[in-house]
Amino acid sequence: MSEKINKINGIDICTESFGNPTHPAVLLIMGAMCSMVYWDEEFCQRLADTGRYVIRYDNRDVGRSITYEPGNSQYTVVDMADDAVGVLDAYGIDQAHIVGMSLGGMIAQIVALRHPKKVLTITLIASGIFGSDDNNRDLPPMDEKILAYHANGATLNWSDEESVANYLVAGSRLLCGSKHTFDEKRVYKQVTKEIKRANNLLSMFNHALLKGDDFYEGKLKGINVPALVIHGTEDTVLPYEHGLALANEIPNASMLTLEGTGHEVHFNDWDTIINAISNHTSAV
């Protein structure tokens, strides 16, 4: 379990693996503005203990991977999908199960469409349809309180690590569903690690500037690998209807509903999520 920097598509991408390299590979792709530390180390190890070789990595502009000047978007979601495949190539992996959280799930959709021979299954957690904002599906938007909270980030002193940590923890609290108790201690530990590891913490906001590729919009019916959609009923970022729409549009997708769960991979849901991924990835 040691991080390493890989040269992928001409850029530096930081990765870490768990488990036995001879076991079936599971690639974890985290969501916007979050590094791989939000795939909790214990979660990764427990997933590996089901007989999987688990790899997590930092997307561009977060963690120890390449960062660009804040406010200057240099790449697309499609580039990020190619990065994911590059991570597999760096480990010598021909095929893998792809698990994406939020934006990571949208990246997983593109990987399945763009590099189908690399993908055995996809699991989409708290995610939505790639490009759905432009497709008139009438899906509910992000909760206004999330947008209002992060608008305050402009006034934060980003050189004060304690203030930044408190800001990020409070932001995570907003994502927690009513069924769960917010684990402030665990999240504070993650956030602190996030701040310490970041090449440039403010670069994470470049994810808000991400452009996609119109070519992949409306192409979900072309995904021909087994798909599992996992979504909480109290998701405030991508409301539950986004998960339902995903499961409806991807052929033969299965749906796991997490009652009272928000936009999170909460500790209390780990057993359910890990068991679901284990079963889903065993069928292939």
Side-chain angles (χ1 to χ4, degrees):
M1 294 192 304
S2 58
E3 296 180 13
K4 64 178 185 176
I5 304 295
N6 308 267
K7 190 65 73 173
I8 291 168
N9 298 327
I11 60 171
D12 288 343
I13 297 288
C14 183
T15 67
E16 187 173 26
S17 62
F18 302 78
N20 187 333
T22 66
H23 289 163
V26 174
L27 182 68
L28 303 177
I29 310 177
M30 187 32 73
M33 301 194 296
C34 294
S35 78
M36 66 181 179
V37 302
Y38 288 98
W39 291 115
D40 193 284
E41 196 170 295
E42 185 184 343
F43 175 91
C44 294
Q45 189 56 57
R46 283 167 60 171
L47 181 56
D49 289 343
T50 69
R52 302 290 179 271
Y53 183 49
V54 177
I55 302 168
R56 63 178 185 173
Y57 71 99
D58 293 327
N59 279 310
R60 301 183 189 214
D61 272 326
V62 292
R64 297 178 62 207
S65 289
I66 188 173
T67 57
Y68 302 90
E69 189 69 24
N72 186 7
S73 182
Q74 297 280 335
Y75 53 92
T76 68
V77 181
V78 176
D79 292 322
M80 297 175 82
D82 290 346
D83 292 343
V85 172
V87 171
L88 297 178
D89 291 341
Y91 281 84
I93 294 168
D94 293 329
Q95 291 184 302
H97 304 278
I98 313 294
V99 178
M101 164 76 181
S102 194
L103 170 65
M106 298 178 192
I107 293 170
Q109 294 167 42
I110 298 175
V111 173
L113 289 165
R114 187 171 169 83
H115 305 278
K117 292 182 179 178
K118 300 289 288 189
V119 182
L120 292 169
T121 68
I122 57 173
T123 300
L124 313 173
I125 305 173
S127 192
I129 294 172
F130 175 72
S132 62
D133 288 346
D134 305 316
N135 283 334
N136 302 314
R137 288 186 177 82
D138 200 28
L139 295 171
M142 184 184 300
D143 192 308
E144 285 293 334
K145 69 182 179 184
I146 307 290
L147 297 171
Y149 180 78
H150 287 294
N152 295 329
T155 63
L156 190 66
N157 177 7
W158 287 86
S159 64
D160 181 350
E161 288 191 3
E162 186 65 24
S163 295
V164 172
N166 290 333
Y167 169 79
L168 294 175
V169 169
S172 291
R173 186 186 296 275
L174 290 176
L175 307 181
C176 186
S178 65
K179 178 184 175 184
H180 300 309
T181 300
F182 182 67
D183 190 343
E184 184 167 340
K185 185 176 179 181
R186 179 183 293 275
V187 173
Y188 189 86
K189 182 180 176 183
Q190 283 179 319
V191 161
T192 302
K193 189 173 183 181
E194 178 88 327
I195 294 169
K196 298 290 186 189
R197 288 181 71 254
N199 285 334
N200 185 346
L201 191 63
L202 281 168
S203 293
M204 66 181 177
F205 290 106
N206 288 340
H207 285 177
L209 306 174
L210 268 175
K211 303 296 183 186
D213 185 324
D214 293 347
F215 178 79
Y216 291 100
E217 293 183 14
K219 297 281 175 66
L220 284 186
K221 293 192 186 305
I223 293 177
N224 58 9
V225 297
L228 170 63
V229 177
I230 301 176
H231 217 101
T233 59
E234 295 183 14
D235 193 320
T236 50
V237 175
L238 288 164
Y240 181 60
E241 289 83 354
H242 288 255
L244 291 175
L246 257 184
N248 186 53
E249 289 208 24
I250 298 175
N252 303 311
S254 53
M255 179 87 184
L256 171 61
T257 296
L258 301 176
E259 292 291 342
T261 291
H263 194 75
E264 58 191 332
V265 180
H266 194 280
F267 179 83
N268 290 351
D269 289 326
W270 282 5
D271 284 345
T272 301
I273 293 171
I274 289 170
N275 288 339
I277 293 173
S278 178
N279 290 336
H280 180 56
T281 57
S282 292
V284 177

